[in-house]
Amino acid sequence: VKWHYWESVGSDTCIIWLGGGIAGERLRINPFWLESYNTMRFLQDLSLHYSLLALEEGTDATLQVSLNRTVYTETYRPKSLLYNTRAWAESQGYSYIYLMGYSVGGVAVATEATLEDPEGWNPPHGVILITVPVSAELRASAGNLRSNLLLLYGEKMTPFYTQSGIAYFNQTRGEVAGGSENRQTELCVLKDVAHEVWTVA
């Protein structure tokens, strides 16, 4: 896997970004260059304040027939890509590491932090989920989540997305496994936006 790395000198925070992709039996994450222009600008703005990693090229050749091209996506595998990337960020001396997942990438992020490696995402590390449809399995296991948590949805999004995120958030509010007393959680449903919460609908 190749990452695009914006290093913000002096920042104690590193964001690991997983963007859109293809949902199905497996989650395939698109490289950064396939994001919309607005999403790219959003990430570039974040990189002014924080160090940021975004997938540049994955290991899975995915044929886009309609465009007659091959794109190298990355299939989400538990305790692999994100586990190793967090370990790298820790080795670089970052005090705060945030997994930020948008859409399909957010499903991978929620799966990693809720089901596969919750102990790896204890505070001060955190998870940011943006416009993520949260499955019943993840909602049922939300009590496993230990990390700081921020959820962002647009009020003009498909109701299931927002409703599933609110249900997940409510399930994370109880007593945390392993006790994370300094944990912060926040849910924001933003007006006048939809899937891309940084863009007016």
Side-chain angles (χ1 to χ4, degrees), residues 70-89:
T70 298
V71 173
Y72 286 89
T73 61
E74 183 61 23
T75 299
Y76 167 71
R77 293 172 184 86
K79 284 193 175 180
S80 176
L81 176 71
L82 298 176
Y83 183 88
N84 293 333
T85 307
R86 187 192 72 238
W88 175 86

Side-chain angles (χ1 to χ4, degrees), residues 137-150:
E137 180 186 15
L138 284 172
R139 293 193 305 269
S141 301
N144 294 339
L145 185 78
R146 299 179 182 184
S147 70
N148 293 314
L149 175 66
L150 171 62

